[in-house]
Amino acid sequence: MELLMAIVIGILFTCAVYLMLSKSLLRIIIGTAVLSHGAHLLILTVSSLKKGAPPLLGQHAESYVDPLPQALILTAIVISFGVTAFFLVLAYRAYQELGTDNMDQLRGNEGND
Amino acid sequence: MINLLILPILIPLITATILMFFSKQVKTQRTIAAVSTIGTVIASVILVITVSKEGIQTLNLGSWTAPFGITLVSDMLSALLVLTTSIITLLVVLYSFKSIGRDRERFYYYPVVQFLLVGVNGAFTTGDIFNLFVFFEVMLMSSYVLIVLGGTKVQLREGIKYILVNVISSALFVITVAYLYSVVGTLNMADISQKIASVGQPGILTAIAILFLIVFGLKGAIFPLYFWLPGSYYAPPTPILALFGALLTKVGVYSIIRTYTLFFYHDPGFTHEMLGILAILTIVVGCVGAIGFWDVKKIIIYNIVIAVGVILFGISTMNGEAMEGSIYYLIHDMLIKAALFLLIGVMISITGTTDVRKMGGLIKEYPWLGWTFLVAAFSLAGIPPLSGFIGKLLILKGSFSSEFYVGAFVILASSLIVLYSVIKIFLTGIWGVPKEYKGISKGHARYLWATSAVLVLLSVFYGLGADALRPLFSQAAEVLVDPQIYIDAVLKE
């Protein structure tokens, strides 16, 4: 199971890198979202996906899954939500002000003349 | 007072929350921000005194014992960095009163600065690797807001790049923490160190060490990961630039110091040699940039890169004396970079240009500004008895005794180039032929100069009082050389 997850996460990272290297700003933001999906799945996977009850004491099971990575993922998810929301609004604002979403046209070298 | 070490995090956090209610009353905001930042400085002074008297302070949040809860740890290194951070923030807040402009002040400038202080102080104090990530995000999120606040074209454009780079490095941080958790099964830094010591750093941990170097190197701008810094730091206005230049990269540097002395010290042949080589290359690219530009902001920005290289080279030698020098130099560099950015900010607002060739003769009208800049420039280059000297001297002594001659030579040569780059500003911009300027009034300039001069004065005292402060640095370096002290303090029975 971990091997399958590792391959899937690898594909997610590949897609993310490909998207982030493209010219359009929206594709880059989609890339960052895919990247954070990959990272979150990776945290889940590295704590080993062995069988067990959900981490609720009311379940009275013999073994539970590791509760720590789930807390980490929850934290990382809300952080990446916050950053992505800010990034999207910034992209919108930049489109309004600068009139382009092409990263090639967002070049500049101040202090270089 | 066992909760003392959380105060430098808690005071700005509460202040930021309160400030958000008064966003339109600029006067109230200024008063609250200044008073509470003074409070943070006082709390950090008490913290430094306590740590120097009673050794490493730890605080288990929620009374959960060490490896299970989040532990805050204040050793001498982090206490000193928290103090320096608070002082710099206080002076930048005072400088902002007359420099940042009402429009930005009305749109949550002071709360965001306080949140930045929360993030930086938290990152210096935490003893938990995932908590470090969270404090990094607090700091970065505030810096995203600060870099685009005002919404000029260049800020939007560079803001996008800055956020993209940091989103990627944050994702890498999460990935690295996940790998580390899968190997050692814990998140508490002291516990991680102990677990790594018991397995003796196999190959996978060396790979994780390099991943950490990439993550923190992206934040701290080492070669070849510094590419985002010159453009991004160019965009925001001066006080924000001073905060960024003094604090943000140094958090990355601190994290490299922490991880490389606490976690990955078992196989220094590969990891530390790599760190040393990258540090030397960082110095070289920084020097190239510092010589190449005629723009005052750009010159100082590339000087940040040089300083990061010098500090990390001292750490990579794993020599007690060089590490002491690195700590000394780290704090000197935070103070002097903030001072220099604020001083060139005064020059820019007087002349209305950032191109040093369009300035000239400032010494006629503004002699106090000129001489302060000269002192700051000499201090940056490391002329004795100013503050840049002792740090570099210790780093050089340490690297000579460990026989790292190439690095020591590069550091010596870089000092010359640093001196050349700032003296270029002095000779063309401040000396030179006087020109007509219609920037800000003289009284206004005098206020801005006074706040930045306090920082220069502090760094002069820091250099003169090096002997008196020496025990503090020895205490800080002691923990870096022998991580067992840190582990014992955190995991005490």
Side-chain angles (χ1 to χ4, degrees), chain B residues 202-435:
Chain B
I204 176 85
L205 279 168
T206 306
I208 292 171
I210 297 299
L211 270 173
F212 268 123
L213 185 61
I214 294 171
V215 170
F216 296 136
L218 263 169
K219 319 263 188 204
I222 64 174
F223 176 85
L225 306 168
Y226 71 98
F227 54 86
W228 55 272
L229 183 129
S232 300
Y233 279 21
Y234 195 85
T238 316
I240 300 173
L241 172 62
L243 274 183
F244 282 17
L247 307 180
L248 294 196
T249 50
K250 304 305 179 294
V251 180
V253 172
Y254 165 81
S255 308
I256 294 178
I257 296 176
R258 206 31 108 209
T259 47
Y260 271 63
T261 57
L262 188 60
F263 298 173
F264 307 115
Y265 57 92
H266 304 283
D267 181 20
F270 181 68
T271 48
H272 287 67
E273 197 181 305
M274 179 124 169
L275 183 62
I277 292 169
L278 288 180
I280 293 172
L281 290 172
T282 310
I283 298 174
V284 173
V285 275
C287 287
V288 172
I291 302 177
F293 283 96
W294 282 95
D295 184 293
V296 278
K297 272 187 178 177
K298 275 272 151 85
I299 293 173
I300 312 291
I301 286 171
Y302 274 100
N303 271 305
I304 301 177
V305 180
I306 301 176
V308 166
V310 172
I311 296 163
L312 287 180
F313 181 76
I315 293 302
S316 76
T317 59
M318 289 297 271
N319 174 304
E321 204 165 23
M323 281 189 183
E324 208 179 318
S326 281
I327 296 167
Y328 189 90
Y329 198 79
L330 178 59
I331 290 164
H332 144 79
D333 190 62
M334 290 168 79
L335 287 172
I336 204 71
K337 283 288 143 59
L340 276 171
F341 277 123
L342 296 180
L343 282 172
I344 62 165
V346 183
M347 289 169 65
I348 292 169
S349 43
I350 290 171
T351 58
T353 173
T354 59
D355 190 338
V356 75
R357 284 169 299 190
K358 291 180 188 150
M359 302 176 182
L362 284 175
I363 197 94
K364 269 244 164 62
E365 297 275 319
Y366 307 91
W368 19 275
L369 175 66
W371 297 120
T372 323
F373 185 86
L374 188 68
V375 173
F378 280 167
S379 178
L380 180 73
I383 308 246
L386 296 166
S387 63
F389 172 69
I390 301 110
K392 263 185 193 160
L393 180 72
L394 287 173
I395 294 176
L396 288 174
K397 269 167 82 179
S399 44
F400 274 126
S401 67
S402 300
E403 299 183 346
F404 293 109
Y405 297 115
V406 181
F409 174 74
V410 171
I411 289 181
L412 280 175
S414 79
S415 302
L416 273 182
I417 291 170
V418 167
L419 185 63
Y420 167 74
S421 69
V422 278
I423 285 301
K424 188 165 78 178
I425 300 179
F426 183 78
L427 283 184
T428 348
I430 296 178
W431 216 252
V433 190
K435 291 189 178 118

Side-chain angles (χ1 to χ4, degrees), chain B residues 56-86:
Chain B
I56 299 176
Q57 300 288 304
T58 62
L59 174 64
N60 293 324
L61 298 181
S63 301
W64 290 92
T65 46
F68 303 114
I70 289 175
T71 311
L72 297 181
V73 187
S74 225
D75 63 346
M76 190 39 97
L77 173 60
S78 40
L80 284 172
L81 289 171
V82 164
L83 175 62
T84 320
T85 305
S86 311

Side-chain angles (χ1 to χ4, degrees), chain B residues 78-111:
Chain B
S78 40
L80 284 172
L81 289 171
V82 164
L83 175 62
T84 320
T85 305
S86 311
I87 292 173
I88 289 170
T89 314
L90 174 65
L91 286 161
V92 169
V93 164
L94 294 177
Y95 187 94
S96 306
F97 288 173
K98 289 208 172 186
S99 142
I100 195 79
R102 242 155 221 280
D103 289 342
R104 287 192 169 95
E105 280 176 309
R106 282 156 53 91
F107 284 92
Y108 303 98
Y109 172 73
Y110 294 113

Side-chain angles (χ1 to χ4, degrees), chain A residues 13 20 25 28-29 32-33 35-36 38-40 42-43 46-47 66 68-69 71-73 75-76 79-80 82-84 86-87 90-91 93-94 97-98 103 105-113, chain B residues 130 133-134 137 141 144-145 148 150-161 163-164 167-168 171-172 174-179 181-182 185-187 231 234 293-295 298 354-355 357-358:
Chain A
F13 284 161
M20 284 188 298
L25 187 52
I28 291 173
I29 298 178
T32 61
L35 183 68
S36 55
H40 301 155
L42 183 74
I43 308 180
V46 292
S47 71
D66 191 351
L68 192 62
L72 302 189
I73 293 169
T75 315
I79 289 175
S80 78
V83 174
T84 308
F86 186 82
F87 203 177
L90 181 65
R93 182 72 203 277
E97 284 280 317
L98 307 167
M103 287 305 277
Q105 290 170 1
L106 290 179
R107 279 188 295 196
N109 31 358
E110 276 79 18
N112 208 9
D113 40 357
Chain B
F130 197 76
F133 164 72
V134 175
E137 288 301 314
M141 200 68 194
Y144 301 157
V145 177
V148 296
T152 60
K153 281 187 177 167
V154 53
Q155 280 182 302
L156 291 172
R157 201 180 64 208
E158 297 305 328
I160 287 173
K161 295 170 196 167
I163 294 178
L164 180 62
V167 166
I168 294 170
L172 259 180
V174 172
I175 292 165
T176 315
V177 170
Y179 285 150
Y181 179 72
S182 77
T186 178
L187 293 169
Y234 195 85
F293 283 96
W294 282 95
D295 184 293
K298 275 272 151 85
T354 59
D355 190 338
R357 284 169 299 190
K358 291 180 188 150

